[in-house]
Amino acid sequence: MSDAVDTRGRLAIARRWNRTYVRSRFFDALSLLLPPGEAFLIETLETWRVLAAPLPDATLEREIERFVREEHTHRQAHQRYNDAMAEDVPQVRAVMQRAGRVTDELGKMSLPMRLALVAAFEHLTAVLAEEIGSNDNLLIDDPSRASRLWRWHAREELDHRHVAIDVCAHAGVRPATLRLALLLATAYLALDLARYTVALCRCDIRAGAGRRAMLFDALRFAASAVPSFARMTRGWCRFVFAPLDRAL
C-alpha cells in the first residue's frame, strides 16, 4: 500500500513541474501540438526550397538548412517529452492524433498560404519565447528537465525567428496573406491549447486532484498571466503592422 501511495505522489509532483497543475498542463498541452506543427514547418520550407532552386541567396539557403535542422531537433525532443507524458496519462495518445489531423488539413492549403502560416506560427512562438526569457510569470526558471527543455527551445526559436519571414519575402507572399495567416494561426493555437489544457486537467482530476482546487488554480493562473499576455499581445500586433519586418 505504501508503495502505491508513493508512486501516486511522485506522479503528482511530476504533473506539477511548473508549480501548479494548470501552469504545468498549459505547457504540456503546447508540447502536444509541437511535433506535428514542426513537421508542417519543415515540410513547407523544404517544398519551397526545392521548387525555388537554385536559390539566388546562399545565406538564405544556409539559414533554411539551420532552421530545418533545429526544428527537427525540437520535434524529436518534444516527441520524447510527449511519450513520457503518455506513459503517465494514456489519454494523451488520442490528443496527439487529433493534433496531427489538424496539421494535415493545413498541409492542403496553397503553398503561399502555407509559407505565411509558417511565418505566423514562428512569430507566435517567438513572442512566447521572448516572454519566457524575460519573465517567470508563465514558466518557472529552475533546473528541472521540463523547464530546461522549454528554455532551450525558446532560445533557438528567437535565434531563427527571421528565417520564415525571409522566405516569404523571397517567395513574394503578400502582407495581406501574412495577416490572414496570423489570424488563422492564432485561432488554431488558442482553441487547441485551451482544449488540450482542459483535457489534461480533467485527467488529473480523475487521478485524484481536487476539482475545486483545480478551478482556483486556473483562476490564479489566469490572473497572474495577464501582464504576460498583455506583453505578448503587443508582440502579436507588431506582425499585423509590419508582417515582413524581419526585426519583429
Side-chain angles (χ1 to χ4, degrees):
M1 177 64 72
S2 61
D3 289 342
V5 171
D6 289 343
T7 299
R8 285 196 296 270
R10 286 194 294 272
L11 291 178
I13 292 169
R15 292 178 186 182
R16 295 196 303 267
W17 62 266
N18 194 21
R19 291 198 185 103
T20 70
Y21 279 112
V22 176
R23 285 169 58 99
S24 304
R25 290 316 196 185
F26 176 85
F27 280 94
D28 290 345
L30 180 57
S31 184
L32 294 176
L33 296 171
L34 288 177
E38 283 156 344
F40 169 77
L41 305 183
I42 293 168
E43 189 276 333
T44 300
L45 287 200
E46 290 280 31
T47 297
W48 178 80
R49 181 167 62 168
V50 169
L51 293 175
L55 293 181
D57 188 339
T59 300
L60 180 60
E61 177 79 34
R62 290 193 297 272
E63 288 292 276
I64 292 173
E65 289 176 356
R66 180 169 69 98
F67 178 94
V68 169
R69 182 173 61 253
E70 290 178 353
E71 290 295 343
H72 181 67
T73 304
H74 299 165
R75 183 187 180 197
Q76 289 180 321
H78 282 280
Q79 189 60 59
R80 290 193 295 269
Y81 182 103
N82 296 345
D83 288 341
M85 200 189 329
E87 290 182 8
D88 179 25
V89 185
Q91 298 92 328
V92 162
R93 296 290 181 190
V95 177
M96 293 163 65
Q97 291 172 358
R98 287 200 299 271
R101 287 195 294 270
V102 172
T103 52
D104 287 344
E105 291 300 314
L106 296 180
K108 298 176 183 177
M109 295 183 176
S110 68
L111 183 56
M113 178 54 77
R114 297 204 312 270
L115 290 172
L117 282 168
V118 171
F121 282 125
E122 281 296 291
H123 181 68
L124 292 173
T125 53
V127 166
L128 176 60
E130 284 180 338
E131 182 61 24
I132 288 174
S134 58
N135 298 279
D136 64 355
N137 286 0
L138 299 179
L139 179 68
I140 191 172
D141 187 2
D142 70 3
S144 68
R145 184 175 181 181
S147 178
R148 287 187 289 111
L149 168 66
W150 283 107
R151 292 187 179 280
W152 159 77
H153 191 165
R155 288 191 298 271
E156 292 209 342
E157 287 297 331
L158 291 174
D159 197 37
H160 69 220
R161 64 187 301 175
H162 63 280
V163 176
I165 291 296
D166 288 346
V167 168
C168 286
H170 277 76
V173 178
R174 296 180 302 170
T177 303
L178 286 160
R179 293 186 181 102
L180 175 59
L182 180 65
L183 293 176
L184 292 174
T186 302
Y188 162 73
L189 277 180
L191 291 174
D192 276 1
L193 189 53
R195 181 169 57 175
Y196 298 163
T197 300
V198 169
L200 289 171
C201 288
R202 284 176 174 169
C203 291
D204 292 330
I205 291 171
R206 286 195 292 269
R211 187 182 300 270
R212 182 175 299 179
M214 188 75 74
L215 176 60
F216 286 141
D217 180 18
L219 293 174
R220 285 194 300 269
F221 175 57
S224 66
V226 168
S228 292
F229 284 111
R231 287 187 290 267
M232 291 166 64
T233 299
R234 291 197 293 269
W236 186 91
C237 290
R238 293 199 305 266
F239 190 96
V240 174
F241 292 115
L244 286 171
D245 186 351
R246 76 194 308 268
L248 288 174

